[in-house]
């Protein structure tokens, strides 16, 4: 709905001058960190021992206010869902001791925004890049219904979260390990993963399932997974084109559950280093 979109824009736009790095780090500190990062060997960046307060996690809000991603069954843009959940995940990680966690909000058109994300991740000596999204379905699976007086689209056929990693990422194994830990935590919370990505009906969206127990897929074509020099995972937190799941994703209970699961997985990941 137009109204909901403007509410989200009002909520986010003051924060989105270009890129929001919600951490106490100054520009000088970031530049200094970038210099150090350049001097480091790539493999050390994500293979280094994990000290919670120094471990640099970037929580990326998928899409931008202008290029908002999918539209939910009730016509709310994906960007708003991503923003609310990513902000919660960031807060949760910080409260659990990952003080260097940053929320990354990007503006502008879709494609340039991907490279902005990658450049922030790579310049900022990031240890872990986590991109937060919400899922939809290919257009040809959409059905129509009327919501709030407007012709709207939905598909109740699929539901669940999914995790994506790229084999082109220099820390593919590390990324896969973390994705599996997140998937495991989500499963332990009683949530199920979206299994449709292996099906022919998904067409060009079909993916290789790397972990059939917890729903980790391979997706090499994603810029934020393949071009980042740190370990990188993309989380599709749930389907907002599914009418029931959209309601669930809007609830603070589900958001808390997912944020808690992600934070627990990152905690476990760090403890094992
Ligand atoms: Zn998305």
């Amino acid at each position: 709905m137009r109204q909901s979109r403007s509410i989200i824009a009002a909520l986010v736009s003051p924060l989105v001058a270009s890129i929001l790095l919600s951490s106490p780090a100054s520009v000088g500190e970031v530049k200094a960190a970038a210099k150090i990062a350049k001097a480091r060997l790539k493999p050390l960046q994500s293979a280094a021992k994990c000290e919670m307060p120094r471990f640099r996690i970037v929580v990326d809000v998928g899409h931008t206010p202008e290029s908002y991603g999918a539209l939910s069954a009730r016509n709310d843009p994906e960007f708003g869902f991503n923003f609310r959940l990513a902000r919660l995940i960031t807060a949760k990680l910080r409260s659990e001791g990952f003080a260097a966690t940053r929320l990354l909000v990007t503006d502008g058109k879709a494609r340039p925004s991907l490279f902005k994300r990658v450049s922030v991740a790579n310049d900022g000596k990031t240890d872990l890049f986590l991109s937060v999204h919400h899922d939809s379905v290919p257009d040809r699976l959409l059905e129509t219904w009327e919501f709030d007086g407007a012709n709207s689209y939905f598909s109740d056929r699929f539901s669940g979260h999914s995790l994506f990693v790229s084999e082109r990422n220099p820390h593919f194994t590390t990324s896969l390990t973390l994705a599996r830990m997140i998937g495991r935590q989500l499963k332990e919370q009683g949530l199920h993963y979206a299994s449709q990505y292996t099906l022919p009906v998904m067409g060009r969206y079909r993916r290789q399932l790397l972990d059939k127990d917890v729903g980790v897929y391979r997706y090499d074509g994603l810029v934020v997974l393949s071009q980042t020099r740190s370990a990188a995972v993309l989380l599709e937190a749930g389907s907002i084109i599914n009418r029931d799941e959209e309601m669930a994703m809007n609830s603070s209970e589900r958001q808390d559950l997912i944020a808690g699961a992600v934070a627990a997985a990152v905690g476990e990941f760090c403890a094992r280093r």
Side-chain angles (χ1 to χ4, degrees):
M1 302 303 295
R2 273 205 191 115
Q3 197 183 13
S4 325
R5 275 181 221 167
S6 62
I7 289 167
I8 288 163
L11 174 71
V12 175
S13 61
L15 306 173
V16 193
S18 69
I19 292 164
L20 171 75
L21 292 173
S22 56
S23 94
S26 68
V27 174
E29 283 171 320
V30 172
K31 279 184 181 168
K35 271 189 186 171
I36 296 165
K38 276 179 192 163
R40 278 180 147 199
L41 289 172
K42 278 184 201 171
L44 290 177
Q45 226 167 312
S46 282
K49 197 177 152 212
C50 174
E51 292 172 59
M52 285 172 80
R54 291 164 179 260
F55 196 62
R56 291 173 186 245
I57 306 163
V58 170
V59 182
D60 170 48
V61 178
H63 306 284
T64 72
E66 299 88 351
S67 177
Y68 55 74
L71 206 55
S72 78
R74 292 171 181 79
N75 303 307
D76 278 328
E78 183 195 336
F79 178 81
F81 287 86
N82 298 343
F83 178 74
R84 290 185 291 269
L85 184 60
R87 187 175 54 177
L88 197 61
I89 290 171
T90 302
K92 187 81 181 159
L93 283 166
R94 285 191 191 167
S95 76
E96 299 207 348
F98 290 101
T101 303
R102 298 163 179 207
L103 180 71
L104 174 61
V105 181
T106 317
D107 68 357
K109 289 184 177 169
R111 188 95 185 141
S113 88
L114 297 178
F115 292 98
K116 277 187 204 169
R117 290 164 220 268
V118 169
S119 110
V120 168
N122 291 348
D123 288 353
K125 210 181 75 174
T126 302
D127 292 297
L128 208 62
F129 186 88
L130 175 69
S131 192
V132 176
H133 287 252
H134 287 71
D135 217 353
S136 184
V137 293
D139 286 352
R140 63 198 169 84
L141 300 181
L142 293 172
E143 299 170 61
T144 53
W145 72 315
E146 191 177 304
F147 175 73
D148 215 7
N151 278 335
S152 309
Y153 297 95
F154 76 98
S155 173
D156 293 339
R157 186 163 165 185
F158 304 120
S159 62
H161 58 269
S162 42
L163 291 145
F164 297 88
V165 292
S166 169
E167 263 193 25
R168 290 191 199 149
N169 181 286
H171 302 284
F172 165 66
T173 311
T174 307
S175 306
L176 179 58
T177 300
L178 176 69
R180 281 183 160 144
M181 286 173 175
I182 295 173
R184 172 79 44 210
Q185 289 290 340
L186 291 169
K187 188 178 178 179
E188 282 175 11
Q189 295 303 320
L191 299 172
H192 68 276
Y193 78 84
S195 56
Q196 74 270 20
Y197 280 98
T198 55
L199 302 178
V201 73
M202 294 303 284
R204 66 189 174 97
Y205 299 102
R206 275 177 98 178
R207 305 285 165 229
Q208 181 188 355
L209 185 57
L210 299 174
D211 189 318
K212 65 176 169 33
D213 189 32
V214 299
V216 181
Y217 293 92
R218 176 183 165 189
Y219 194 170
D220 290 341
L222 280 178
V223 170
V224 295
L225 297 182
S226 61
Q227 304 295 311
T228 37
R229 290 200 287 265
S230 61
V233 173
L234 185 138
L235 169 67
E236 292 279 3
S239 174
I240 52 170
I241 201 70
N242 177 306
R243 292 175 293 185
D244 286 344
E245 192 152 83
E246 179 190 7
M247 298 296 276
M249 299 314 294
N250 262 326
S251 72
S252 56
E253 291 80 8
R254 178 66 67 89
Q255 291 163 8
D256 285 342
L257 206 64
I258 294 172
V262 171
V266 176
E268 184 191 352
F269 176 84
C270 185
R272 287 197 187 179
R273 300 292 281 262

